[in-house]
Amino acid sequence: MEYDLILRWLHVLGACTLLGTGAGIAFFMLMAHRSGDPRIVAHTAGIVVLADLVFTTSAVLIQPVTGALLAWELGWSLWEGWILLSLVLYVLTGAFWLPVVWIQLRLRNLAQAAVAEGRELCPGYHQLFRIWFACGFPAFAAVLAIVWLMLARPDIAWSP
């Protein structure tokens, strides 16, 4: 098997993992939140935190490595417009993802505390959930745009 084919495969798997895990996490957290049940939220948020740690973090680390190696192997400059735009969007995604990870931990902890104390989810939980939800839109849109850029490789004029 050719080296560049292996790199493409790993890079596409990483992109699929980011997209799929992001969509799955958003769906399950939203459904748990809509239940209003602290037990369901606590359990789901615990799984979401684990999924982010295992899947998203792995893909986040693999993507730039496989992308850079693939560009080098195929003779593409990292200054090509579509690659540069992908990198900018990748950083933007990370700028939203890092706070989301912290928020997910807080949501889990707040839900676990509500369960332990036999009470409803507190107003702080609801405020954090709204922020978490709002952060998801630009991050997910950026990942979708990156996947499109990877596939289309449009000629975007740029000169360093």
Side-chain angles (χ1 to χ4, degrees):
M1 194 179 293
E2 294 180 27
Y3 180 63
D4 67 310
L5 182 59
I6 294 169
L7 285 174
R8 284 179 198 244
W9 180 70
L10 290 172
H11 198 65
V12 168
L13 281 179
C16 290
T17 300
L18 286 175
L19 197 58
T21 304
I25 283 171
F27 176 78
F28 289 114
M29 279 296 289
L30 180 60
M31 292 298 103
H33 172 78
R34 288 190 56 182
S35 78
D37 185 335
R39 291 171 300 149
I40 292 172
V41 172
H43 178 74
T44 303
I47 292 169
V48 161
V49 166
L50 179 61
D52 243 353
L53 178 65
V54 173
F55 298 109
T56 309
T57 302
S58 299
V60 163
L61 296 174
I62 289 169
Q63 283 306 96
V65 172
T66 58
L69 290 172
L70 188 57
W72 180 74
E73 179 71 18
L74 297 174
W76 295 338
S77 167
L78 295 180
W79 292 103
E80 286 190 42
W82 70 271
I83 294 176
L84 189 59
L85 181 54
S86 294
L87 292 170
V88 168
L89 289 170
Y90 192 77
V91 169
L92 176 74
T93 301
F96 283 98
W97 178 64
L98 289 172
V100 160
V101 171
W102 177 83
I103 291 170
Q104 287 170 177
L105 288 166
R106 291 286 302 137
L107 292 173
R108 181 200 62 194
N109 294 347
L110 289 169
Q112 287 173 342
V115 170
E117 297 166 14
R119 60 173 171 74
E120 296 295 315
L121 296 165
C122 67
Y125 164 88
H126 293 285
Q127 181 181 9
L128 278 174
F129 184 85
R130 285 190 294 275
I131 295 167
W132 176 88
F133 190 76
C135 287
F137 286 101
F140 195 72
V143 172
L144 286 173
I146 292 167
V147 170
W148 182 83
L149 288 166
M150 283 172 36
L151 294 172
R153 295 190 309 255
D155 187 21
I156 299 173
W158 162 258
S159 62

